[in-house]
Amino acid sequence: TLFRSMCWFAAYTKPRSEFKALDYFEKCKVNAYVPEYIESRAWSDRTKKVRVPAISSYVFFELSALNYNLVNCNPFVKNVVKALGAPVTISDNEITVLKDCLKNFTESIDVGNGDLVKIGSGPFKNKRGVVEKIGENSVTLLINSIKLKLSLNSSKLSLAC
C-alpha cells in the first residue's frame, strides 16, 4: 500500500466558532488546531481568564487528502482556504512555528513611542523596530529592514528594549 503523508489545511469558520469547529473535528477523529492565548477579561462583578483565538475565523486541520464531505459536515466551517482555486496546504513546520509563536509571551510591556525594540519571539524574532503607536491593547512597530508596519496585540507580544 502507498503511504500518503498528512497535510495541514485551513478553513474559514463562522463568526466566533473557532473552538466549536475544533471540537467538531476532534470528535470526528481529525487532528485540528486553533492558535489561541489566554486573556484576562473583566466584567462588573468578576475577572476571568478566557481562551481567545489568535487568528479569528480560522481552524487548521490535518488530513492525508482533502475530504470535502468531511469538511462540509462540520456545521461551524464555512469554506476551505484556497489560493488560485486550489486548497492551500500548510507544512508541519509552519504549524509548529505558529504554535511556538504563542508560547512565552509576556502580558506587560514597558515601552514608549519612538523606543527601539527587538521582538523576542514569534516569526519576527530578533527583528528590530521603532514603536510608532501604543494602543490600549496593541503596539504598532515600524520594522525598517523589511519595510513592514506591524500591529500586535500586546498580550501576545514579547519585546526587549
Side-chain angles (χ1 to χ4, degrees):
T1 61
L2 235 150
F3 175 74
R4 291 184 107 173
S5 64
M6 301 292 273
C7 287
W8 285 90
F9 300 94
Y12 299 111
T13 65
K14 293 180 178 177
R16 294 180 296 284
S17 297
E18 299 88 354
F19 296 119
K20 293 174 187 172
L22 173 71
D23 292 342
Y24 189 91
F25 275 134
E26 289 175 346
K27 285 179 187 169
C28 295
K29 307 271 191 273
V30 173
N31 187 22
Y33 173 63
V34 171
E36 66 179 79
Y37 62 97
I38 304 297
E39 183 176 89
S40 294
R41 297 235 173 124
W43 284 268
S44 60
D45 61 337
R46 68 192 183 287
T47 300
K48 188 176 176 183
K49 292 189 183 283
V50 294
R51 287 172 44 189
V52 179
I55 304 173
S56 298
S57 300
Y58 283 88
V59 63
F60 299 91
F61 57 96
E62 188 178 30
L63 297 171
S64 57
L66 188 56
N67 180 343
Y68 281 102
N69 289 334
L70 177 65
V71 175
N72 291 335
C73 282
N74 189 329
F76 306 103
V77 168
K78 290 188 341 188
N79 201 359
V80 172
V81 176
K82 295 180 181 182
L84 302 173
V88 173
T89 58
I90 303 161
S91 70
D92 277 332
N93 186 43
E94 290 172 304
I95 294 294
T96 301
V97 166
L98 191 57
K99 288 178 180 179
D100 289 344
C101 286
L102 294 171
K103 289 181 188 171
N104 304 321
F105 286 109
T106 58
E107 286 196 26
S108 62
I109 50 177
D110 188 22
V111 294
N113 289 350
D115 286 355
L116 179 64
V117 296
K118 182 170 88 173
I119 299 175
S121 62
F124 298 104
K125 184 177 182 174
N126 296 326
K127 292 285 183 193
R128 293 190 178 277
V130 176
V131 176
E132 181 185 64
K133 182 173 118 184
I134 299 176
E136 187 176 319
N137 293 318
S138 65
V139 175
T140 302
L141 300 176
L142 293 174
I143 301 175
N144 294 330
S145 65
I146 51 178
K147 295 185 178 165
L148 177 70
K149 187 174 184 178
L150 186 63
S151 291
L152 299 168
N153 184 314
S154 58
S155 67
K156 300 179 291 175
L157 184 62
S158 173
L159 296 176
C161 295

